[in-house]
Amino acid sequence: MYRRMVQIRHFEEHAAEAYAQAKVGGFLHLYIGEEAVAVGAIAAVREEDHVLGHYRDHGYALAKGCDPKACMAELFGRETGLCHGRGGSMHLAEAARHYWGGYAIVGSHIPIGAGMAYAMQYLEQPEVVLDFFGDGATGNGIFHEGLNMAALWNLPVVFICENNLYGMGATLAEESPVRDMIIKAEGYTMPSVQCDGMDVLSVYEAVQKAAAHCRSGQGPYFVEALTYRFRGHSMADPELYRDKDEVTRWKALDPIPKFGEFCVEHRISSEQELAQVKEEVEAEMLEAVRFADQSPWPDPATVDQWIYAKPIDPEAIATGPDQLSSVEG
Amino acid sequence: MAEISYRQAVRDAMREEMMRDPRVILMGESITGYGGSYAVTKGLIDEFGPKRVMETPIAEAGIVGFAVGAAMGGLIPVAELMTVNFALLALDQVVNSAAKFHYMFGGQWSVPMVVRTVSGFGQLGPTHSQSFEGWFASVPGLKVVMPATPADAKGLLLAAIRDPDPVIFIEHSLLYSTRGEVPGPALGDGEVPIGQAKVVREGSDVTLVGYSRMLLQALHAAEVLEREDGISCEVVDLRTLRPLDYPTVVNSVRRTHRLVLCGEDWRTGGFGASLLSEMQDRCFDDLDAPIQRVAMRDIPLPYSRELERLLIPSSEDIVTAVRRLS
Ligand SMILES: Cc1ncc(C[n+]2csc(CCOP(=O)(O)OP(=O)(O)O)c2C)c(N)n1
Ligand SMILES: [Mg+2]
């Protein structure tokens, strides 16, 4: 878990640097400060369990074991990216690992996770679904529709709300009548627990319990992780809505040194071993950036690939006059 | 051959496919005990039980999102949205989820699901009388089907359920009780491929293009024009709006040199608007006259019977449009 958190931290730092060099475009949302949530939660369940998350998604991908090279290449928009450059930073996914993405419409993946859990229940498969989203998503109707259905049909899905006190520039007080998101689960009679999102063990414990509940057929569970993002909402954020003292206070709770100290204290690892992990991870991320930077762009001829799984007649799509010659052969 | 209603044809397609493939499930509002607001799913709950015929909360976006997730998990959901007016609440899930995932995630998975919904009117007032096929048909990644006959309703729904991509299947409330021949079991299951238009009446003077209820209006107009004006109309049923069988329409225009597009949605931004644009690109030189459109005037459809009648596109409007050409 320590290595995973360090991986995410270093990946994000390199992504920010690449963004500053305009090698990464669009919106880039960093997970720095929140690493313990994805890592603790995903470590607490089985490899074959399903994970869906929102657009601040590099952490979920790496915690699920996706290759940092392919993740970075996706940010760079290259053919070697996880989604061949079609999705970008907000839409990382690797179905083979049961990491189903990266959803950038706030709250949209909440009923999707419930539907996937229904498929598991229907097909009598043992997997559970972890569905991550932010505090801001709980203001959207789709959150309530998804929770309502999951509870109604007793589905094996763990909803994990990362309460980082902000939804973009809106403070919790501005966006929600309650500070504790678990209160919103109560209306759906969903069991819930709050955990310390700055402590990977606290998240681990909470999600382990939640997943066991789901797997035993008792229905959905709601986990609220109290956390904080150290950086702005995205790279474009001037952070006018929060004061520096608050950020400093939360940075003192950094989950990585905190867990490092725990490991040393309990003789799980030595200081040297932890330093070694950091070095190895840094080399791995430098390699990821190098790989992404040297990877080929997608072939322009493939721009219309994957619109449909069952290919359609190319003449059946509006082309306009410029491309008609190719249509008419 | 057996003669059945359009409603029965839709129900038969679901029923047969559910018997054939245990992954197929239905979900929707009041589709179990009530039988669906247009009684299409009537009886299916008794046959297949609540695990396969799911009564859902009134949550259109949730229903479609849930169906997308169920499809990703290995099922084939057929979600009923009570009418296309309520489908607006689900537009995000249709456009940003169902239509996008195959492309956006680099072809890693597809979303095999059907959203069944219904257009139509009948003194239902402005919020319950709309047609939005043009909106859905503008979205790459969706397939959009609008059958006019029982045979096509059944055959296209079978194809839609078997298709690996998300299909928007729009029925018409005024067609449910119409009857027609549907191929019997001896002729296979009657699947009709998505993406193929059909010339349903041959003619030489003008091509009328329609779909769903407007196809029947076009056929009626063709008879009137033949009888009263001696004009020979060719009638093309699009059946699928996306992907659209342009070659069939183009070939017809190459013979008739005149084209009238018939739809029930609004003139501005309606499906016919983009069809017209593309037809101009493809066959301007074959046309002897400007392309005509029959469409809803840009007005919300009012409740009052007399006001409603004023606005609903009809066979008379098609006759007028054709006469304008000659
Ligand atoms: C439906 C929708 N509305 C608005 C946005 C723009 N937007 C992106 S992230 C965000 C804030 C979300 O906050 P939260 O759910 O708390 O997640 P966090 O960024 O804090 O992790 C907003 C408003 C969007 N992507 N989708
Ligand atoms: Mg937040």
Side-chain angles (χ1 to χ4, degrees):
Chain A
M1 291 202 288
Y2 185 80
R3 179 181 293 269
R4 282 282 192 243
M5 289 199 286
V6 174
Q7 272 186 326
I8 297 171
R9 177 70 53 95
H10 287 223
F11 181 95
E12 297 294 54
E13 282 164 355
H14 284 290
E17 196 178 310
Y19 183 88
Q21 298 165 352
K23 291 185 172 177
V24 174
F27 289 136
L28 180 66
H29 309 86
L30 303 179
Y31 202 57
I32 293 178
E34 306 186 42
E35 293 92 341
V37 184
V39 171
I42 290 169
V45 297
R46 301 177 185 165
E47 209 174 290
E48 61 274 21
D49 287 332
H50 303 282
V51 171
L52 297 89
H54 62 169
Y55 46 85
R56 193 181 303 286
D57 63 343
H58 313 159
Y60 315 126
L62 295 170
K64 230 0 199 159
C66 299
D67 182 352
K69 293 207 290 283
C71 295
M72 193 62 82
E74 186 63 28
L75 269 57
F76 277 58
R78 305 306 168 100
E79 181 56 34
T80 51
L82 269 187
C83 303
H84 307 284
R86 270 57 169 186
S89 159
M90 300 191 287
H91 308 110
L92 300 179
E94 191 173 4
R97 286 181 199 276
H98 289 186
Y99 172 53
W100 297 95
Y103 296 89
I105 303 295
V106 168
S108 64
H109 59 298
I110 295 175
I112 294 175
M116 205 164 212
Y118 183 72
M120 297 307 117
Q121 189 188 69
Y122 184 100
L123 299 168
E124 294 173 9
Q125 284 173 212
E127 296 102 283
V128 303
V129 176
L130 302 189
D131 203 332
F132 294 83
F133 49 85
D135 46 285
T138 69
N140 199 307
I142 199 72
F143 163 83
H144 297 275
E145 294 186 18
L147 259 65
N148 190 41
M149 291 193 280
L152 187 59
W153 297 321
N154 221 38
L155 303 177
V157 51
V158 183
F159 294 112
I160 304 175
C161 181
E162 300 175 335
N163 185 350
N164 62 7
L165 305 177
Y166 295 92
M168 209 163 148
T171 64
L172 200 53
E174 289 169 321
E175 68 181 5
S176 174
V178 294
R179 278 191 76 78
D180 298 319
M181 298 298 135
I182 49 171
I183 292 174
K184 301 189 183 188
E186 270 170 30
Y188 304 102
T189 66
M190 206 178 286
S192 63
V193 63
Q194 244 175 2
C195 63
D196 180 357
M198 309 308 276
D199 176 0
V200 74
L201 292 175
S202 171
V203 178
Y204 182 96
E205 218 175 281
V207 174
Q208 195 178 40
K209 186 170 146 209
H213 173 94
C214 290
R215 227 184 293 278
S216 68
Q218 298 177 74
Y221 209 99
F222 191 95
V223 175
E224 176 179 5
L226 303 171
T227 185
Y228 198 78
R229 57 171 161 72
F230 292 174
R231 299 292 189 96
H233 167 71
S234 73
M235 297 301 288
D237 179 4
E239 293 185 69
L240 304 171
Y241 50 84
R242 63 182 190 183
D243 63 59
K244 297 264 180 309
D245 289 351
E246 181 186 282
V247 181
T248 312
R249 260 182 287 126
W250 278 92
K251 278 188 175 167
L253 303 174
D254 192 327
I256 295 178
K258 180 180 181 136
F259 187 56
E261 279 157 30
F262 174 90
C263 290
V264 172
E265 215 170 281
H266 291 78
R267 298 175 195 274
I268 299 163
S269 333
S270 67
E271 300 266 5
Q272 291 92 315
E273 281 169 329
L274 297 183
Q276 174 78 15
V277 167
K278 282 194 178 167
E279 254 174 60
E280 286 167 14
V281 166
E282 179 58 14
E284 184 187 17
M285 295 308 153
L286 282 170
E287 171 57 19
V289 171
R290 198 196 55 77
F291 171 84
D293 210 16
Q294 293 178 2
S295 285
W297 294 102
D299 178 356
T302 64
V303 70
D304 60 356
Q305 194 180 356
W306 300 316
I307 299 173
Y308 295 102
K310 181 177 178 183
I312 60 170
D313 179 356
E315 290 203 39
I317 290 297
T319 51
D322 293 343
Q323 284 161 50
L324 269 186
S325 49
S326 66
V327 165
E328 307 217 346
Chain B
M1 286 286 190
E3 202 192 78
I4 60 171
S5 70
Y6 185 97
R7 173 184 287 107
Q8 182 71 39
V10 175
R11 184 187 303 141
D12 283 356
M14 290 189 284
R15 186 169 170 269
E16 286 173 24
E17 206 52 15
M18 287 178 85
M19 290 194 299
R20 205 185 63 83
D21 189 341
R23 295 171 304 166
V24 178
I25 59 165
L26 309 184
M27 48 189 302
E29 298 162 12
S30 292
I31 68 164
T32 60
Y34 194 99
S37 66
Y38 288 99
V40 176
T41 53
K42 201 166 162 195
L44 296 178
I45 179 70
D46 303 324
E47 197 170 349
F48 297 101
K51 207 175 146 190
R52 300 191 68 190
V53 183
M54 300 174 75
E55 183 68 42
T56 67
I58 304 165
E60 288 74 15
I63 291 169
V64 176
F66 190 94
V68 168
M72 286 162 56
L75 304 182
I76 302 175
V78 179
E80 173 175 308
L81 297 180
M82 201 175 270
T83 81
V84 79
N85 305 283
F86 318 143
L88 300 193
L89 280 88
L91 263 186
D92 170 58
Q93 290 291 348
V94 170
V95 176
N96 283 321
S97 298
K100 292 295 185 295
F101 293 172
H102 189 61
Y103 189 83
M104 175 164 106
F105 295 122
Q108 292 185 70
W109 68 87
S110 68
V111 182
M113 61 178 280
V114 181
V115 173
R116 284 183 45 244
T117 187
V118 49
S119 283
F121 41 80
Q123 286 204 269
L124 304 173
T127 62
H128 278 55
S129 311
Q130 304 165 96
S131 303
F132 294 122
E133 60 269 22
W135 295 8
F136 292 108
S138 76
V139 182
L142 295 181
K143 294 175 177 171
V144 181
V145 173
M146 287 189 82
T149 65
D152 283 342
K154 178 172 179 196
L156 282 162
L157 186 51
L158 286 173
I161 299 172
R162 293 167 188 172
D163 199 281
D165 295 306
V167 180
I168 309 297
F169 190 90
I170 307 178
E171 297 153 25
H172 199 293
S173 61
L174 299 182
L175 295 180
Y176 279 132
S177 299
T178 58
R179 299 179 74 80
E181 299 272 312
V182 170
L187 295 164
D189 56 18
E191 181 181 327
V192 174
I194 289 174
Q196 289 184 10
K198 186 178 178 185
V199 176
V200 292
R201 177 189 169 113
E202 294 194 355
S204 53
D205 297 330
V206 54
T207 299
L208 308 181
V209 171
Y211 53 88
S212 192
R213 171 184 163 272
M214 288 307 280
L215 189 269
L216 306 193
Q217 300 294 311
L219 282 170
H220 187 245
E223 273 170 37
V224 172
L225 287 160
E226 174 108 88
R227 194 170 60 234
E228 296 180 7
D229 304 60
I231 295 175
S232 161
C233 298
E234 177 141 307
V235 180
V236 179
D237 182 357
L238 289 180
R239 307 198 287 187
T240 301
L241 306 195
R242 184 185 192 97
L244 198 146
D245 185 357
Y246 289 110
T248 293
V249 185
V250 169
N251 288 338
S252 177
V253 173
R254 292 214 167 118
R255 275 180 275 122
T256 63
H257 309 291
R258 286 179 175 78
L259 180 58
V260 179
L261 307 177
C262 312
E264 246 171 32
D265 55 349
W266 284 305
R267 179 163 292 274
T268 303
F271 179 73
S274 55
L275 177 56
L276 187 151
S277 148
E278 186 69 11
M279 289 312 294
Q280 181 194 253
D281 286 337
R282 294 198 189 219
C283 49
F284 186 76
D285 293 337
D286 298 300
L287 287 164
D288 287 347
I291 299 170
Q292 299 296 305
R293 272 181 74 202
V294 173
M296 185 77 76
R297 283 169 65 191
D298 285 6
I299 298 174
L301 205 62
Y303 161 75
S304 168
R305 194 182 64 197
E306 290 310 307
L307 291 178
E308 186 184 56
R309 188 153 57 196
L310 221 91
L311 298 182
I312 290 166
S314 66
S315 60
E316 289 97 78
D317 297 324
I318 301 173
V319 168
T320 308
V322 171
R323 286 184 180 148
R324 217 182 291 138
L325 287 175
S326 32

